[in-house]
Amino acid sequence: MTAISNPSFYQVSEITLHYQSKVKASLRPKVTSSEDAYRILHLHWDKNKLELLEEFKILLLNRANKVLGIVNISTGGMSGTVADPKLIFAAALKSSASSLILAHNHPSGNLTPSQADMQLTRKLKEAGSFLDLPVLDHIIITPDPSYYSFADEGVL
């Protein structure tokens, strides 16, 4: 059967990519440390969920380390959530981010990263390196006003 005799051959969806910031560049916060990233993330985290369930988010940055936005990648249960690398990098690429910071919460209040946290961080750092989208940090936040920075601890 040739393409001409098969009408479904011509039915292809067009993919459109669109990103438009709602915040003027001059008003975007700049991240210069893990504490800056933590404060921005904590401010925008739903406090009603912080102790209830685990969420994974990414902070997208431009070349000047100014925040383009925060993306909620996944919401899980009390002891875990799934962070899909395809969703993470799709969001970063679509927004024309130059780098990103990973973040998730531990409802238990334990700041120690799990083995799964360490493996995911290594995997995403490697993928980011391949795509020229560096992963600058991975921050774990808890209901207490505290955080763990993979970069600060030298494990990134």
Side-chain angles (χ1 to χ4, degrees):
M1 181 186 304
T2 65
I4 295 170
S5 65
N6 184 352
S8 66
F9 181 81
Y10 298 103
Q11 297 178 16
V12 177
S13 296
E14 181 179 347
I15 305 298
T16 304
L17 297 178
H18 177 78
Y19 168 76
Q20 183 176 354
S21 178
K22 295 181 180 177
V23 179
K24 289 182 181 181
S26 62
L27 299 176
R28 295 177 190 154
K30 184 171 184 166
V31 175
T32 60
S33 66
S34 62
E35 186 174 352
D36 290 343
Y38 164 73
R39 286 182 181 184
I40 293 164
L41 287 159
H42 194 264
L43 181 67
H44 291 90
W45 214 284
D46 184 345
K47 305 307 179 278
N48 295 321
K49 295 181 181 178
L50 202 52
E51 265 186 284
L52 179 63
L53 45 88
E54 196 167 308
E55 295 181 294
F56 195 99
K57 300 175 187 267
I58 56 172
L59 194 63
L60 300 168
L61 306 172
N62 68 11
R63 291 183 62 80
N65 281 357
K66 289 198 168 190
V67 178
L68 295 171
I70 298 171
V71 180
N72 186 4
I73 297 298
S74 67
T75 300
M78 293 183 77
S79 60
T81 190
V82 176
D84 187 336
K86 291 176 188 173
L87 293 176
I88 291 168
F89 288 105
L93 290 166
K94 185 175 182 179
S95 67
S96 296
S98 294
S99 59
L100 60 144
I101 295 174
L102 313 171
H104 77 283
N105 66 311
H106 281 176
S108 67
N110 181 2
L111 283 174
T112 306
S114 68
Q115 198 59 34
D117 294 340
M118 301 289 272
Q119 289 172 343
L120 177 66
T121 303
R122 280 192 293 273
K123 181 179 181 178
L124 294 174
K125 181 178 178 174
E126 187 176 313
S129 178
F130 179 75
L131 294 169
D132 290 328
L133 271 166
V135 173
L136 301 180
D137 204 347
H138 184 165
I139 300 200
I140 299 173
I141 69 172
T142 65
D144 296 330
S146 59
Y147 68 97
Y148 177 95
S149 162
F150 282 63
D152 290 354
E153 297 300 322
V155 292
L156 184 64

